[in-house]
Coordinates of all heavy atoms in Angstrom, one line a residue:
V882 N 9.3 -12.4 93.2 CA 10.3 -11.4 93.5 C 10.5 -10.5 92.2 O 10.3 -10.9 91.1 CB 11.7 -12.1 93.9 CG1 12.8 -10.9 94.1 CG2 11.6 -12.8 95.1
G883 N 10.8 -9.3 92.6 CA 10.9 -8.2 91.2 C 10.0 -7.1 91.7 O 9.6 -6.7 92.8
A884 N 9.6 -6.4 90.5 CA 8.8 -5.2 90.8 C 7.3 -5.4 91.1 O 6.5 -4.6 91.7 CB 9.0 -4.3 89.7
D885 N 6.8 -6.7 90.6 CA 5.6 -6.9 90.9 C 5.2 -7.5 92.3 O 6.1 -8.1 92.9 CB 5.0 -8.1 89.8 CG 5.1 -7.6 88.4 OD1 4.9 -6.4 88.1 OD2 5.3 -8.4 87.5
V886 N 4.0 -7.1 92.7 CA 3.6 -7.6 94.1 C 2.4 -8.6 93.8 O 1.4 -8.3 93.3 CB 3.2 -6.5 95.0 CG1 2.5 -6.9 96.2 CG2 4.3 -5.5 95.2
I887 N 2.8 -9.9 94.2 CA 1.7 -11.0 93.9 C 1.2 -11.5 95.3 O 2.0 -11.8 96.2 CB 2.3 -12.1 93.1 CG1 2.8 -11.5 91.8 CG2 1.4 -13.2 92.9 CD1 3.7 -12.4 91.0
I888 N -0.1 -11.6 95.3 CA -0.8 -11.9 96.5 C -1.6 -13.4 96.4 O -2.2 -13.6 95.2 CB -1.9 -10.9 97.0 CG1 -1.2 -9.6 97.1 CG2 -2.6 -11.4 98.2 CD1 -0.2 -9.6 98.3
N889 N -1.5 -14.3 97.2 CA -2.0 -15.6 97.1 C -3.6 -15.3 97.5 O -3.9 -14.9 98.5 CB -1.5 -16.5 98.1 CG -2.1 -17.9 98.3 OD1 -3.3 -18.0 98.2 ND2 -1.4 -18.8 98.3
K890 N -4.6 -15.6 96.5 CA -5.9 -15.3 96.7 C -6.7 -16.1 97.6 O -7.4 -15.7 98.5 CB -6.6 -15.4 95.3 CG -8.2 -15.0 95.4 CD -8.9 -15.1 94.2 CE -10.3 -14.5 94.3 NZ -11.1 -14.9 95.6
T891 N -6.3 -17.4 97.7 CA -6.9 -18.3 98.7 C -6.6 -17.7 100.2 O -7.5 -17.5 101.0 CB -6.3 -19.7 98.6 OG1 -6.7 -20.1 97.2 CG2 -7.0 -20.6 99.8
R892 N -5.4 -17.3 100.3 CA -5.1 -16.8 101.8 C -5.6 -15.4 101.9 O -6.0 -15.0 103.0 CB -3.5 -16.6 101.9 CG -2.9 -18.1 102.1 CD -1.5 -18.0 102.6 NE -0.7 -19.1 102.5 CZ 0.5 -19.3 102.2 NH1 1.1 -18.2 101.9 NH2 1.1 -20.5 102.0
W893 N -5.7 -14.5 100.8 CA -6.2 -13.3 100.9 C -7.8 -13.4 101.2 O -8.2 -12.6 102.2 CB -6.3 -12.6 99.5 CG -6.9 -11.2 99.4 CD1 -8.1 -10.9 99.0 CD2 -6.2 -9.9 99.9 NE1 -8.3 -9.5 99.2 CE2 -7.3 -9.0 99.8 CE3 -5.0 -9.7 100.5 CZ2 -7.0 -7.6 99.9 CZ3 -4.8 -8.3 100.7 CH2 -5.8 -7.4 100.5
D894 N -8.4 -14.4 100.8 CA -9.8 -14.6 101.2 C -10.0 -15.2 102.6 O -11.0 -14.9 103.3 CB -10.5 -15.6 100.2 CG -10.7 -14.9 98.8 OD1 -10.6 -13.7 98.6 OD2 -10.9 -15.7 97.8
G895 N -9.1 -16.0 103.0 CA -9.3 -16.7 104.3 C -8.1 -16.6 105.3 O -8.4 -17.2 106.3
A896 N -7.2 -16.0 105.0 CA -5.9 -15.9 106.0 C -5.5 -17.4 106.2 O -5.7 -18.4 105.6 CB -6.2 -15.1 107.1
V897 N -5.0 -17.5 107.4 CA -4.5 -18.9 107.9 C -5.0 -19.1 109.2 O -5.1 -18.0 110.0 CB -3.1 -18.8 107.7 CG1 -2.5 -19.2 106.2 CG2 -2.3 -17.8 108.3
Q898 N -5.2 -20.2 109.6 CA -5.8 -20.6 110.9 C -5.1 -20.0 112.1 O -5.5 -19.5 113.1 CB -6.2 -22.0 111.2 CG -7.1 -22.4 112.4 CD -8.4 -21.7 112.3 OE1 -9.1 -21.6 111.5 NE2 -8.8 -20.9 113.5
H899 N -3.8 -20.3 112.1 CA -2.9 -19.8 113.2 C -3.0 -18.4 113.5 O -2.7 -17.9 114.5 CB -1.6 -20.4 113.1 CG -0.7 -19.8 111.9 ND1 -0.5 -20.6 110.8 CD2 0.0 -18.7 111.8 CE1 0.3 -19.7 110.0 NE2 0.5 -18.6 110.5
W900 N -3.3 -17.5 112.4 CA -3.3 -16.1 112.5 C -4.5 -15.8 113.3 O -4.4 -15.0 114.2 CB -3.6 -15.4 111.1 CG -3.7 -14.0 111.0 CD1 -4.7 -13.2 111.0 CD2 -2.6 -13.1 111.0 NE1 -4.4 -11.9 110.9 CE2 -3.1 -11.8 110.9 CE3 -1.1 -13.3 111.1 CZ2 -2.3 -10.6 110.9 CZ3 -0.4 -12.1 111.0 CH2 -0.9 -10.8 111.0
F901 N -5.7 -16.5 113.1 CA -6.9 -16.2 113.9 C -6.8 -16.8 115.2 O -7.3 -16.2 116.3 CB -8.2 -16.8 113.2 CG -8.6 -16.3 111.9 CD1 -8.6 -17.1 110.7 CD2 -8.8 -15.0 111.7 CE1 -8.9 -16.5 109.5 CE2 -9.1 -14.3 110.5 CZ -9.1 -15.2 109.4
D902 N -6.0 -17.9 115.4 CA -6.0 -18.5 116.8 C -5.1 -17.7 117.6 O -5.2 -17.6 118.9 CB -5.1 -19.8 116.6 CG -5.9 -20.8 115.9 OD1 -7.2 -20.9 115.9 OD2 -5.2 -21.9 115.5
A903 N -4.3 -16.6 117.0 CA -3.4 -15.7 117.8 C -4.3 -14.5 118.1 O -3.8 -13.5 118.7 CB -2.2 -15.4 117.0
G904 N -5.5 -14.4 117.6 CA -6.3 -13.2 118.0 C -6.5 -12.1 117.0 O -7.0 -11.2 117.3
A905 N -5.9 -12.3 115.9 CA -5.9 -11.4 114.9 C -7.0 -11.5 113.7 O -7.7 -12.5 113.7 CB -4.5 -11.2 114.2
T906 N -7.2 -10.3 113.0 CA -8.4 -10.4 112.0 C -8.0 -10.6 110.7 O -6.6 -10.4 110.3 CB -9.1 -9.0 112.3 OG1 -8.2 -8.1 111.7 CG2 -9.4 -8.7 113.5
L907 N -9.0 -10.8 109.8 CA -8.7 -11.0 108.4 C -8.2 -9.5 107.8 O -7.2 -9.6 107.0 CB -10.0 -11.4 107.7 CG -9.9 -11.4 106.2 CD1 -8.7 -12.5 105.7 CD2 -11.3 -11.9 105.5
A908 N -8.7 -8.5 108.2 CA -8.2 -7.1 107.8 C -6.9 -7.0 108.1 O -6.0 -6.5 107.3 CB -9.1 -6.1 108.4
Q909 N -6.4 -7.3 109.4 CA -5.0 -7.2 109.8 C -4.1 -8.2 108.9 O -3.0 -7.8 108.6 CB -4.9 -7.7 111.1 CG -5.4 -6.5 112.2 CD -5.5 -7.0 113.6 OE1 -5.9 -8.1 113.8 NE2 -5.4 -6.0 114.5
Y910 N -4.5 -9.4 108.6 CA -3.9 -10.3 107.8 C -3.6 -9.5 106.5 O -2.5 -9.7 106.0 CB -4.6 -11.6 107.6 CG -3.8 -12.6 106.7 CD1 -2.8 -13.4 107.4 CD2 -4.1 -12.8 105.4 CE1 -2.1 -14.4 106.6 CE2 -3.3 -13.6 104.7 CZ -2.4 -14.5 105.3 OH -1.7 -15.4 104.5
R911 N -4.6 -9.0 105.8 CA -4.4 -8.5 104.4 C -3.3 -7.4 104.6 O -2.6 -7.2 103.6 CB -5.8 -8.1 104.0 CG -6.7 -9.1 103.7 CD -8.2 -8.8 103.2 NE -8.9 -9.9 102.7 CZ -10.1 -9.9 102.4 NH1 -10.7 -8.7 102.6 NH2 -10.7 -11.0 101.8
T912 N -3.5 -6.6 105.6 CA -2.5 -5.4 105.7 C -1.1 -6.0 105.9 O -0.1 -5.4 105.1 CB -3.0 -4.6 107.0 OG1 -4.2 -4.0 106.8 CG2 -2.0 -3.4 107.2
M913 N -0.9 -7.0 106.6 CA 0.4 -7.7 106.8 C 0.9 -8.2 105.5 O 2.1 -8.1 105.1 CB 0.3 -8.7 107.9 CG 1.6 -9.6 108.1 SD 2.0 -10.8 106.8 CE 0.7 -12.0 107.3
V914 N 0.0 -8.9 104.7 CA 0.4 -9.5 103.5 C 0.8 -8.4 102.4 O 1.9 -8.6 101.8 CB -0.6 -10.3 102.9 CG1 -0.4 -10.7 101.4 CG2 -0.8 -11.7 103.7
I915 N 0.1 -7.3 102.2 CA 0.5 -6.3 101.4 C 1.8 -5.7 101.8 O 2.8 -5.4 101.1 CB -0.6 -5.2 101.4 CG1 -1.9 -5.8 100.7 CG2 -0.1 -3.9 100.6 CD1 -2.0 -6.0 99.2
N916 N 2.0 -5.3 103.2 CA 3.2 -4.8 103.5 C 4.4 -5.7 103.4 O 5.5 -5.3 103.0 CB 3.1 -4.3 105.0 CG 2.2 -3.2 105.2 OD1 2.1 -2.3 104.2 ND2 1.6 -3.0 106.4
H917 N 4.1 -7.0 103.7 CA 5.2 -8.0 103.5 C 5.7 -8.1 102.0 O 7.0 -8.0 101.7 CB 4.8 -9.4 104.0 CG 5.7 -10.4 103.9 ND1 6.4 -10.9 104.9 CD2 6.0 -11.2 102.8 CE1 7.2 -11.9 104.5 NE2 7.0 -12.1 103.3
E918 N 4.7 -8.2 101.1 CA 5.0 -8.4 99.8 C 5.7 -7.1 99.2 O 6.6 -7.2 98.4 CB 3.9 -8.9 98.9 CG 3.3 -10.2 99.4 CD 4.4 -11.2 99.4 OE1 5.2 -11.3 98.6 OE2 4.2 -12.2 100.1
V919 N 5.2 -5.9 99.6 CA 6.0 -4.7 99.1 C 7.4 -4.6 99.7 O 8.3 -4.2 99.0 CB 5.0 -3.4 99.6 CG1 5.9 -2.1 99.5 CG2 3.8 -3.4 98.8
G920 N 7.6 -5.2 101.0 CA 8.8 -5.3 101.4 C 9.8 -6.1 100.6 O 10.9 -5.8 100.2
H921 N 9.2 -7.1 99.9 CA 10.1 -7.9 99.1 C 10.3 -7.0 97.7 O 11.5 -7.0 97.3 CB 9.3 -9.0 98.5 CG 9.4 -10.3 99.5 ND1 10.5 -10.8 100.0 CD2 8.4 -11.0 100.0 CE1 10.3 -11.9 100.7 NE2 9.0 -12.1 100.8
A922 N 9.4 -6.2 97.3 CA 9.7 -5.4 96.1 C 10.7 -4.4 96.4 O 11.4 -3.9 95.6 CB 8.4 -4.7 95.7
L923 N 10.9 -4.0 97.7 CA 11.9 -3.0 98.1 C 13.2 -3.7 98.5 O 14.2 -3.1 98.8 CB 11.4 -2.3 99.5 CG 10.2 -1.4 99.2 CD1 9.7 -0.9 100.5 CD2 10.6 -0.2 98.3
G924 N 13.3 -5.0 98.3 CA 14.6 -5.7 98.5 C 14.7 -6.5 99.8 O 15.8 -7.1 99.9
H925 N 13.6 -6.6 100.5 CA 13.8 -7.3 101.8 C 13.5 -8.8 101.6 O 12.8 -9.2 100.6 CB 12.7 -6.8 102.8 CG 13.1 -5.4 103.4 ND1 13.7 -5.3 104.6 CD2 12.8 -4.3 102.8 CE1 13.8 -4.0 104.8 NE2 13.4 -3.3 103.8
I926 N 14.1 -9.7 102.5 CA 14.0 -11.1 102.2 C 13.2 -11.8 103.3 O 13.2 -11.1 104.5 CB 15.3 -11.7 102.2 CG1 16.2 -11.4 103.4 CG2 16.2 -11.3 100.9 CD1 17.4 -12.3 103.5
D927 N 12.6 -12.9 103.1 CA 12.0 -13.6 104.1 C 12.9 -13.9 105.3 O 14.0 -14.3 105.2 CB 11.4 -14.9 103.7 CG 10.1 -14.6 102.8 OD1 9.3 -13.7 103.0 OD2 10.0 -15.6 101.9
N928 N 12.2 -13.6 106.6 CA 12.8 -14.0 107.9 C 14.3 -13.4 108.2 O 15.1 -14.0 108.7 CB 12.9 -15.6 107.9 CG 11.5 -16.2 107.7 OD1 10.7 -15.7 108.2 ND2 11.5 -17.1 106.9
E929 N 14.3 -12.2 107.6 CA 15.7 -11.6 107.7 C 15.9 -11.2 109.1 O 17.1 -11.0 109.5 CB 15.9 -10.4 106.8 CG 15.0 -9.1 107.0 CD 15.0 -8.1 105.9 OE1 15.7 -8.3 104.9 OE2 14.3 -7.2 106.2
T930 N 15.0 -10.9 109.9 CA 15.0 -10.5 111.3 C 14.5 -11.6 112.2 O 13.4 -12.3 111.9 CB 14.3 -9.2 111.6 OG1 14.8 -8.2 110.9 CG2 14.5 -8.9 113.1
P931 N 15.2 -12.3 113.2 CA 14.7 -13.3 113.9 C 13.4 -12.9 114.8 O 13.3 -11.7 115.3 CB 15.8 -13.6 114.8 CG 17.0 -13.1 114.2 CD 16.6 -11.8 113.5
C932 N 12.5 -13.7 114.9 CA 11.4 -13.5 115.9 C 12.0 -13.4 117.3 O 12.8 -14.1 117.6 CB 10.6 -14.8 115.8 SG 9.3 -14.9 117.1
G933 N 11.5 -12.4 118.0 CA 12.0 -12.2 119.4 C 11.4 -13.2 120.4 O 12.0 -13.2 121.5
G934 N 10.3 -13.9 120.0 CA 9.8 -14.8 120.8 C 9.0 -14.2 122.1 O 8.9 -13.0 122.2
N935 N 8.6 -15.0 123.0 CA 7.9 -14.4 124.2 C 6.7 -13.5 123.9 O 6.6 -12.5 124.5 CB 8.8 -13.7 125.1 CG 8.3 -13.6 126.5 OD1 7.6 -14.5 127.0 ND2 8.8 -12.7 127.3
K936 N 6.0 -13.7 122.7 CA 4.9 -13.0 122.3 C 5.2 -11.5 121.9 O 4.4 -10.7 121.9 CB 3.8 -13.0 123.4 CG 3.2 -14.3 123.7 CD 2.6 -15.0 122.6 CE 2.1 -16.4 123.0 NZ 1.9 -17.3 121.7
Q937 N 6.5 -11.3 121.6 CA 6.8 -10.0 121.0 C 6.3 -10.0 119.6 O 5.9 -11.0 118.9 CB 8.4 -9.7 121.0 CG 9.0 -9.7 122.3 CD 10.5 -9.6 122.1 OE1 11.0 -8.8 121.4 NE2 11.3 -10.5 122.6
A938 N 6.1 -8.8 119.0 CA 5.6 -8.6 117.7 C 6.5 -9.2 116.6 O 7.7 -9.2 116.8 CB 5.5 -7.1 117.3
A939 N 5.8 -10.0 115.8 CA 6.6 -10.7 114.7 C 7.2 -9.7 113.8 O 6.6 -8.7 113.4 CB 5.8 -11.7 114.0
P940 N 8.3 -9.9 113.3 CA 8.9 -8.9 112.2 C 8.0 -9.1 111.0 O 7.4 -10.2 110.8 CB 10.3 -9.5 111.9 CG 10.7 -10.4 113.2 CD 9.5 -10.9 113.8
L941 N 7.8 -8.0 110.4 CA 7.0 -8.1 109.1 C 7.5 -9.0 108.1 O 6.6 -9.6 107.5 CB 6.8 -6.5 108.6 CG 6.2 -6.5 107.3 CD1 4.6 -6.8 107.4 CD2 6.2 -5.2 106.6
M942 N 8.9 -9.1 107.9 CA 9.4 -10.0 107.0 C 9.5 -11.4 107.4 O 9.9 -12.3 106.7 CB 10.7 -9.4 106.5 CG 10.6 -8.0 105.6 SD 9.1 -7.8 104.5 CE 9.7 -9.1 103.3
Q943 N 9.1 -11.8 108.7 CA 9.0 -13.1 109.1 C 7.9 -13.7 108.2 O 6.8 -12.9 107.8 CB 8.6 -13.1 110.6 CG 8.4 -14.7 111.0 CD 8.1 -14.7 112.5 OE1 8.6 -14.0 113.2 NE2 7.1 -15.5 112.8
E944 N 7.9 -14.9 107.8 CA 6.7 -15.5 107.0 C 5.7 -16.0 108.0 O 5.4 -17.1 108.4 CB 7.2 -16.9 106.3 CG 8.2 -16.5 105.2 CD 8.7 -17.7 104.4 OE1 9.4 -18.5 105.1 OE2 8.3 -17.9 103.3
Q945 N 4.9 -14.9 108.4 CA 3.8 -15.1 109.3 C 2.7 -15.9 108.7 O 2.0 -16.5 109.4 CB 3.2 -13.8 109.8 CG 4.4 -12.9 110.5 CD 3.7 -11.6 111.0 OE1 2.8 -11.5 112.0 NE2 4.2 -10.4 110.4
S946 N 2.5 -16.0 107.3 CA 1.6 -17.0 106.8 C 2.0 -18.4 107.1 O 1.2 -19.3 107.0 CB 1.5 -16.7 105.3 OG 1.0 -15.4 105.0
M947 N 3.2 -18.7 107.4 CA 3.7 -20.1 107.6 C 3.7 -20.3 109.1 O 3.4 -21.5 109.6 CB 5.1 -20.3 107.0 CG 5.2 -19.9 105.5 SD 4.2 -20.8 104.4 CE 4.6 -20.3 102.8
F948 N 4.2 -19.5 109.9 CA 4.4 -19.7 111.2 C 4.5 -18.4 112.0 O 4.9 -17.3 111.5 CB 5.6 -20.6 111.6 CG 6.9 -19.9 110.9 CD1 7.6 -18.8 111.4 CD2 7.4 -20.4 109.6 CE1 8.7 -18.4 110.8 CE2 8.4 -19.9 109.0 CZ 9.2 -18.9 109.7
L949 N 4.1 -18.4 113.3 CA 4.3 -17.3 114.2 C 5.4 -17.4 115.2 O 5.9 -16.5 115.8 CB 3.0 -16.8 114.8 CG 1.9 -16.2 114.0 CD1 0.6 -16.1 114.7 CD2 2.4 -14.8 113.5
K950 N 6.0 -18.7 115.2 CA 6.8 -19.1 116.3 C 6.3 -18.8 117.6 O 5.1 -19.1 117.9 CB 8.3 -18.6 116.0 CG 8.7 -19.3 114.8 CD 10.2 -18.9 114.5 CE 10.7 -19.5 113.3 NZ 12.2 -19.1 113.0
E951 N 7.1 -18.0 118.5 CA 6.5 -17.6 119.8 C 6.2 -16.1 119.7 O 6.1 -15.4 120.7 CB 7.5 -17.9 120.8 CG 7.8 -19.4 121.1 CD 6.5 -20.1 121.4 OE1 5.7 -19.5 122.3 OE2 6.2 -21.2 120.8
C952 N 6.0 -15.6 118.4 CA 5.7 -14.1 118.3 C 4.2 -13.8 118.0 O 3.4 -14.8 117.8 CB 6.5 -13.6 117.2 SG 8.2 -13.4 117.6
S953 N 3.9 -12.5 118.2 CA 2.4 -12.2 118.1 C 2.2 -11.7 116.6 O 3.2 -11.1 116.0 CB 2.2 -11.1 119.1 OG 2.1 -11.6 120.3
P954 N 1.1 -11.8 116.0 CA 0.8 -11.2 114.7 C 1.2 -9.8 114.6 O 0.9 -9.0 115.5 CB -0.6 -11.4 114.4 CG -1.1 -12.6 115.4 CD -0.2 -12.4 116.5
N955 N 1.8 -9.3 113.6 CA 2.1 -8.0 113.3 C 2.1 -7.6 112.0 O 2.3 -8.2 111.0 CB 3.6 -7.8 113.8 CG 4.1 -6.4 113.5 OD1 3.5 -5.4 113.9 ND2 5.3 -6.2 112.9
T956 N 1.4 -6.3 111.6 CA 1.0 -5.9 110.3 C 2.1 -4.9 109.7 O 2.0 -4.8 108.5 CB -0.3 -5.4 110.4 OG1 -0.3 -4.4 111.2 CG2 -1.4 -6.3 110.6
W957 N 2.9 -4.2 110.5 CA 3.8 -3.2 110.0 C 5.1 -3.4 110.4 O 5.6 -4.2 111.3 CB 3.3 -1.8 110.5 CG 2.0 -1.4 110.1 CD1 0.8 -1.6 110.7 CD2 1.7 -0.7 108.8 NE1 -0.1 -1.1 109.9 CE2 0.3 -0.5 108.8 CE3 2.5 -0.3 107.7 CZ2 -0.3 0.1 107.7 CZ3 1.8 0.4 106.8 CH2 0.5 0.5 106.7
P958 N 6.2 -2.8 109.6 CA 7.4 -3.2 109.9 C 7.9 -2.8 111.3 O 7.5 -1.7 111.8 CB 8.4 -2.2 108.9 CG 7.3 -1.8 107.8 CD 6.0 -1.9 108.5
L959 N 8.7 -3.6 111.9 CA 9.4 -3.1 113.1 C 10.4 -2.1 112.9 O 10.9 -1.9 111.8 CB 10.1 -4.3 113.7 CG 9.2 -5.6 114.1 CD1 10.1 -6.7 114.7 CD2 8.0 -5.2 115.1
D960 N 10.7 -1.2 113.9 CA 11.8 -0.1 113.8 C 13.1 -0.8 113.2 O 13.7 -0.1 112.5 CB 12.1 0.5 115.1 CG 10.8 1.5 115.6 OD1 10.0 1.7 114.7 OD2 11.0 1.8 116.7
S961 N 13.3 -2.0 113.6 CA 14.6 -2.6 113.3 C 14.6 -3.1 111.7 O 15.7 -3.4 111.3 CB 14.9 -3.9 114.1 OG 13.9 -4.8 114.0
E962 N 13.5 -3.0 111.2 CA 13.2 -3.5 109.8 C 13.2 -2.2 108.8 O 13.1 -2.4 107.7 CB 11.8 -4.2 109.6 CG 12.0 -5.6 110.4 CD 10.8 -6.3 110.0 OE1 9.6 -6.0 110.7 OE2 10.8 -7.4 109.3
L963 N 13.3 -1.0 109.4 CA 13.1 0.3 108.5 C 14.4 0.7 108.0 O 14.7 1.9 108.0 CB 12.4 1.2 109.4 CG 11.0 1.1 109.8 CD1 10.4 2.0 110.7 CD2 10.1 1.0 108.6
W964 N 15.3 -0.3 107.6 CA 16.4 0.2 106.8 C 16.0 0.2 105.3 O 15.1 -0.4 105.0 CB 17.6 -0.8 107.0 CG 17.2 -2.3 106.8 CD1 16.7 -3.1 107.9 CD2 17.3 -2.9 105.7 NE1 16.5 -4.3 107.1 CE2 16.8 -4.3 105.9 CE3 17.7 -2.7 104.2 CZ2 16.9 -5.3 104.9 CZ3 17.7 -3.5 103.3 CH2 17.3 -5.0 103.6
S965 N 16.7 1.0 104.6 CA 16.4 1.2 103.2 C 17.4 0.4 102.3 O 18.4 0.0 102.6 CB 16.5 2.8 102.9 OG 17.8 3.3 103.1
T966 N 16.8 0.1 101.2 CA 17.6 -0.5 100.2 C 17.7 0.3 99.0 O 17.0 1.3 98.8 CB 16.9 -1.9 99.8 OG1 15.7 -1.7 99.3 CG2 16.8 -2.9 101.0
F967 N 18.6 -0.1 98.1 CA 18.9 0.8 96.9 C 18.8 0.0 95.7 O 19.9 -0.1 94.8 CB 20.3 1.5 97.2 CG 20.2 2.4 98.3 CD1 20.8 2.0 99.6 CD2 19.7 3.7 98.2 CE1 20.8 2.7 100.7 CE2 19.9 4.6 99.3 CZ 20.3 4.0 100.6
V968 N 17.7 -0.8 95.6 CA 17.6 -1.6 94.4 C 17.6 -0.8 93.1 O 16.9 0.0 92.8 CB 16.3 -2.4 94.6 CG1 16.0 -3.3 93.3 CG2 16.3 -3.1 95.8
G969 N 18.6 -1.1 92.3 CA 18.7 -0.6 91.0 C 19.3 0.8 90.9 O 19.3 1.4 89.9
S970 N 19.9 1.3 92.0 CA 20.4 2.6 92.1 C 21.5 2.6 93.2 O 21.5 1.9 94.0 CB 19.3 3.7 92.3 OG 18.9 3.5 93.6
E971 N 22.3 3.6 92.9 CA 23.4 3.8 93.9 C 22.9 4.7 95.2 O 22.1 5.5 94.9 CB 24.6 4.5 93.2 CG 25.3 3.6 92.2 CD 26.0 2.5 92.8 OE1 26.6 2.4 93.8 OE2 25.8 1.4 92.2
P972 N 23.4 4.3 96.3 CA 23.1 5.1 97.4 C 23.5 6.6 97.3 O 24.5 6.7 96.6 CB 23.8 4.4 98.7 CG 24.5 3.3 98.1 CD 24.3 3.2 96.5
Ligands
LIG2448 ZN1 8.0 -13.3 101.9

């Protein structure tokens, strides 16, 4: 957490099995990880939006590396996640 964006190299190289089981690719995993971690740098927290279930797209800030629950892999922020934060400055 902070201004640095840190990526787990083992997962960068190989993603996680449940990601592939859900039909997504390594390139999509890498896109998700970068976007998720940049989300943290912007002030977003893990799992701040609940998974909608029923194979809806997972929220970007869901910990998709850990679990998909009943959601589908998703690489970009959902519309509901596109709120802005004001880290270190006044709105
Ligand atoms: Zn996270």
